[in-house]
Amino acid sequence: MCSFIRRSSLLTLTLLILFILCSDYGVVLVESRAPFACDPRNGLTRSLRFCRVNVPIHVRVQDLIGRLTLQEKVRLLVNNAAGVPRLGIQGYEWWSEALHGVSNVGPGTKFGGAFPGATSFPQVITTAASFNESLWEEIGRVVSDEARAMYNGGMAGLTFWSPNVNVFRDPRWGRGQETPGEDPVLAGKYAASYVRGLQGNNGNRLKVAACCKHYTAYDLDNWNGVDRYHFNARVSKQDLEDTYDVPFKACVVEGKVASVMCSYNQVNGKPTCADSDILKNTIRGQWRLNGYIVSDCDSVGVLYENQHYTRTPEEAAADTIKAGLDLDCGPYLAVYTEGAIKRGLLTEQDVNWALANTITVQMRLGMFDGEPSAQPFGNLGPRDVCTPAHQQLALQAAHQGIVLLKNSRRSLPLNARSHRTVAVIGPNSDVTVTMIGNYAGVACGYTTPLQGISRYAKTIHQAGCSDVACNSNRLFGAAEAAARQADATILVMGLDQSLEAEFRDRTGLLLPGHQQELVSRVARASRGPTVLVLMCGGPVDVSFAKNDPRISAILWVGYPGQAGGAAIADVLFGTANPGGKLPMTWYPQDYLAKVPMTDMAMRADPARGYPGRTYRFYKGPVVFPFGHGLSYASFRYTLSSAPKTFSVPLATSLYSFKNTTISSKAIRVVHTNCDAMSLSVHVDVKNTGDMDGTHTLLVFSTPPAGNWDPNKQLIGFKKVHIAAGSLQNVKVDIHVCKHLSVVDQFGIRRIPMGDHDLQIGDLKHSISLQSSLEEIKT
C-alpha cells in the first residue's frame, strides 16, 4: 500500500486532507503512529489468548509470560524494553515524565510535528502553596489528557514517573522545587490528588500510570562532597514512620498509584532498591501496591559500581529482583539477570513475578487491546493539547500558588491609574524557561513578568544583573535611574536551575551574588512603592527586605509556569487576590551551620546543638513560617461547634492490651476501632475586608507531651472562596487514627490520651481524648 501511495500524489494529498478533517472531528489518525500489540488484523496474534479483551487480565498476563523465552523475558526488565516480533509485541520505552505537565526529560516523550509543546503548569512547590486538592487533581486530569493525546499520536508512552513526593527536609536541596513541601500530610494529599487526576477513575483501568518517587528518605543530591549515589541515610524508625514514608503510603493506599520508584541512596546501610523490607514487605505487602516497582535510573548499577554493596553485577540483579524490584531504569537487569539465574542466585519464577507486575499495568492501560483509537481516550489528539482551557488552568494555578509574604501599609495592590509607569528590574524580570523550573517540557508559550506588567502600565525595564548569579554591580546605576522615573518599582529576583536543580544543592540561603545590594539600592532610589518578587523553588533568607521599610511588599512566586508573568501582574494590580501559603519554612542563613545536610534526624537534640527540622520540630527563629501567606482581604474565625471530649473505642478485649498498648498513656492505633473514630469541627470564616478572596484554612494539632515531640502538626486544610463581607461555615473532618495519632521512639503509631490542642489561625480549641484503658500501666 505504501508503494502505491508514493505513486499517487493525488491519493497522498487526499489522505492528508482526510487526516486534518478527522482530527478536527475527533478521530485521531497519525501517519507516524508506531505499531501496536494485538492488532486484530494481524493473523499472527489474532488467536492469542493474551490479546482477548474479554479474558481476565491476570489470565492474559500469565498466558503472555508463558509464551516468552528466558532471553525475551530479561529484555523486558528494563525501561527500553525490547519487542517480541514473533508475538506481535513492539518495543516500549517506560520512561516518560509529567511532573507538572508532559515533559521531554525522559526518552519516552518527544515534541514536534503535530505536538510542538504541552501545557506547562507551575512547578510543584508553587502549586502545593495553593493547598487546593481539587486543583491538584484537575491539573493531573489535564496533564493526562495531553499525555494520552501524545500517545495516540505516537509521541509518548503511558507510564509517567511522576510525582516526586519526597519531603522537603533541608532548604538547600536542589530538587525541593519538585516536591509538595516539608509537611508529610500536605505531601500525601498532593500525591493522592495528583495521581487520581493522572490515572482517572475508571476502576482497574488506567488513563496513564503514575509513579510516586523516590522511595525513601531521599533528599540529598550533592552536598559537601557527598552525593546521592554514595549516601547512606541513617534514619530512625520514628522518622521513617511519621515523616519520610507518609507521602508514599498516601500515594499507594489513597491514590492507588500504579508504580513506586526506589531511590539511589541507602537507608540504614541497605540500598533501597535491594531492601525487601521496604519494597516487598512494605510497599507491596502492607500497603498492597497494585502495580510495579521501578528503580531510579541506573540504581541497580550504582549499588554495585558505586556503593560496592554486591561483589558481582549478577548479585546486584538477583538482590534487587528478589527484594521486589520489577523494572530497571537502566541496562543491568537485561544484561545480568540470565547470568544470575545460571549461577543459582535467582529463579526464572522470580523474573515471572516481576514481569507479571509490569505487564499487568500495561494491560490495565489497554496496551494489549489493539488499535488505540478504538479505546477509551482514543479520540484525544493534537487539538486536545495546549487548549485555551488548559492554558487558563495554568494561569489559575499560578494565581493560587503565589504567596504574599509582606504588604506594609497595604501598598499592594497597585492602582493602574496612579501607578502608570512601573520600573521592572531584575535578572528574572523577563525570563521564559526559568518560570517552568525543572522536569518541564516545551511550553505552549510564555508570558514573562515584564510582558504581564506591560498589560497594566507603561514599563521601564532594566535587568540590573546579567543573570541570577549577579556577579557584578556595573548595571545597577541604570536600574536606580529607572526606579527614580517610575511610579512604582518591581524587582524580580531569585534563583534558577543554574543554582538549584537535580544534582545541584545550594550552599547558602542568601540571594546570590550582588542581588541583595541591587534590591537595597533600587529601594533607596525608588520614588514609589518597591515590591520584591522572588522567583525560586527553595526558601531564601531575605531578612534584609522583610525588615527594610522602603521595601513595601514581598511576593514569592516559586517557578510559576508558562503563564507566570501574567499571574504575577494580576496579583500586583489586584485582578487576582493572593491566597497561597508557604509549604515550607524559610530559615535564616545561620540555621545551616547547625544542620549538616547528611543528618536525617527530624527532631531537635539540644545536647548536641541540633535545632531540628521543619515547623514540626524546629524551635528556632524563622524568616517566614510554614503556612504563612497574606491576602488583600482579611478573615476572622469563630468556632461554631466542636467536641470537647472524645472516647476512643477499642478493637478487642481489655485483657489483650495489657503490657502492650499503653505507653505514656497512648494507645496503639492497631488496637482501636478506627472506623468509629471521626469527629468534626465547624468554623465560621468571615471575610471582613473589601475584596473577595480565596482563603486557606489550616488546621494544626499539638498532642500531649510524650516521646514524639512535634511542636504541632498539620492535620487538615480547606480552601474556601468568600465574598467581601460574607461569612461561610467550614466543616473540618478529623479522623482520630490518621490525624491525632503520633509515632513513638520505637516507630509505633499511637493515639495519646489527654488534651489535643487544635489551632486554626488565632483560634484555639482543646479536645480531650479518653479511654477506659488509661489506668493500665506498661
Side-chain angles (χ1 to χ4, degrees), residues 159-191:
T159 46
F160 289 84
W161 293 345
S162 303
N164 178 345
V165 298
N166 292 113
V167 169
F168 194 177
R169 169 191 63 107
D170 191 290
R172 292 163 287 198
W173 189 29
R175 303 189 72 176
Q177 60 180 292
E178 302 173 31
T179 76
E182 71 180 33
D183 182 79
V185 170
L186 170 62
K189 287 182 179 293
Y190 176 87

Side-chain angles (χ1 to χ4, degrees), residues 428-470:
N428 282 337
S429 59
D430 196 27
V431 294
T432 53
V433 293
T434 296
M435 295 193 299
I436 60 177
N438 70 353
Y439 277 80
V442 178
C444 309
Y446 296 100
T447 302
T448 72
L450 177 63
Q451 290 170 337
I453 295 167
S454 296
R455 296 173 180 175
Y456 287 92
K458 178 184 176 183
T459 56
I460 308 170
H461 179 236
Q462 290 291 332
C465 306
S466 57
D467 54 33
V468 292
C470 202

Side-chain angles (χ1 to χ4, degrees), residues 628-695:
H628 176 69
L630 307 174
S631 171
Y632 299 151
S634 53
F635 300 90
R636 187 176 66 225
Y637 299 148
T638 305
L639 190 65
S640 173
S641 67
K644 292 184 178 181
T645 61
F646 184 86
S647 181
V648 177
L650 303 176
T652 57
S653 69
L654 189 73
Y655 178 79
S656 66
F657 298 112
K658 192 171 184 179
N659 297 328
T660 63
T661 296
I662 301 298
S663 175
S664 301
K665 295 187 176 181
I667 300 175
R668 289 193 186 196
V669 165
V670 295
H671 291 163
T672 65
N673 183 2
C674 283
D675 293 338
M677 294 174 63
S678 293
L679 55 93
S680 297
V681 174
H682 293 260
V683 179
D684 289 330
V685 184
K686 185 172 184 179
N687 182 343
T688 58
D690 54 8
M691 186 175 181
D692 296 353
T694 300
H695 182 61

Side-chain angles (χ1 to χ4, degrees), residues 178-464:
E178 302 173 31
T179 76
E182 71 180 33
D183 182 79
V185 170
L186 170 62
K189 287 182 179 293
Y190 176 87
S193 299
Y194 189 61
V195 166
R196 281 193 292 264
L198 286 176
Q199 296 190 164
N201 56 3
N202 190 20
N204 197 43
R205 299 290 296 201
L206 295 169
K207 188 178 181 185
V208 304
C211 173
C212 283
K213 62 186 186 183
H214 315 79
Y215 184 71
T216 182
Y218 167 64
D219 49 17
L220 177 152
D221 270 59
N222 190 8
W223 177 81
N224 204 26
V226 180
D227 67 39
R228 60 189 182 178
Y229 305 125
H230 298 88
F231 181 48
N232 177 22
R234 299 191 180 278
V235 191
S236 70
K237 291 181 179 180
Q238 187 174 32
D239 286 340
L240 273 176
E241 175 65 28
D242 84 347
T243 299
Y244 295 109
D245 285 359
V246 172
F248 292 96
K249 183 176 182 179
C251 195
V252 176
V253 176
E254 298 169 29
K256 309 296 182 187
V257 76
S259 176
V260 173
M261 176 183 286
C262 51
S263 54
Y264 289 114
N265 56 290
Q266 296 185 1
V267 174
N268 298 325
K270 270 194 172 183
T272 64
C273 293
D275 190 339
S276 60
D277 283 340
I278 66 175
L279 300 188
K280 187 175 290 185
N281 296 346
T282 300
I283 297 177
R284 194 170 298 285
Q286 294 177 31
W287 301 345
R288 300 191 177 279
L289 172 72
N290 181 17
Y292 69 98
I293 299 173
V294 60
S295 74
D296 205 342
C297 295
D298 293 321
S299 286
V300 181
V302 163
L303 70 88
Y304 165 67
E305 296 172 3
N306 299 77
Q307 299 175 359
H308 308 296
Y309 182 73
T310 62
R311 291 172 299 176
T312 66
E314 288 82 7
E315 288 175 331
D319 284 2
T320 52
I321 292 175
K322 287 193 295 185
L325 188 72
D326 304 309
L327 186 71
D328 177 15
C329 178
Y332 250 65
L333 294 190
V335 175
Y336 297 109
T337 298
E338 187 174 358
I341 292 173
K342 289 179 179 177
R343 290 177 54 186
L345 303 172
L346 195 66
T347 68
E348 189 167 353
Q349 183 57 49
D350 293 322
V351 173
N352 292 347
W353 285 330
L355 289 179
N357 293 325
T358 55
I359 295 171
T360 295
V361 169
Q362 291 180 311
M363 293 274 187
R364 293 171 64 197
L365 287 162
M367 292 176 63
F368 289 86
D369 291 355
E371 169 61 57
S373 64
Q375 298 178 39
F377 316 111
N379 63 321
L380 295 171
R383 66 190 179 96
D384 299 294
V385 180
C386 288
T387 67
H390 293 182
Q391 297 192 63
Q392 180 64 26
L393 183 64
L395 175 62
Q396 292 172 6
H399 284 157
Q400 294 190 36
I402 290 175
V403 182
L404 179 61
L405 297 173
K406 174 184 177 180
N407 193 19
S408 300
R409 302 177 302 279
R410 300 193 66 174
S411 54
L412 288 181
L414 301 176
N415 189 317
R417 291 188 296 274
S418 54
H419 302 106
R420 297 187 177 187
T421 302
V422 176
V424 184
I425 296 167
N428 282 337
S429 59
D430 196 27
V431 294
T432 53
V433 293
T434 296
M435 295 193 299
I436 60 177
N438 70 353
Y439 277 80
V442 178
C444 309
Y446 296 100
T447 302
T448 72
L450 177 63
Q451 290 170 337
I453 295 167
S454 296
R455 296 173 180 175
Y456 287 92
K458 178 184 176 183
T459 56
I460 308 170
H461 179 236
Q462 290 291 332

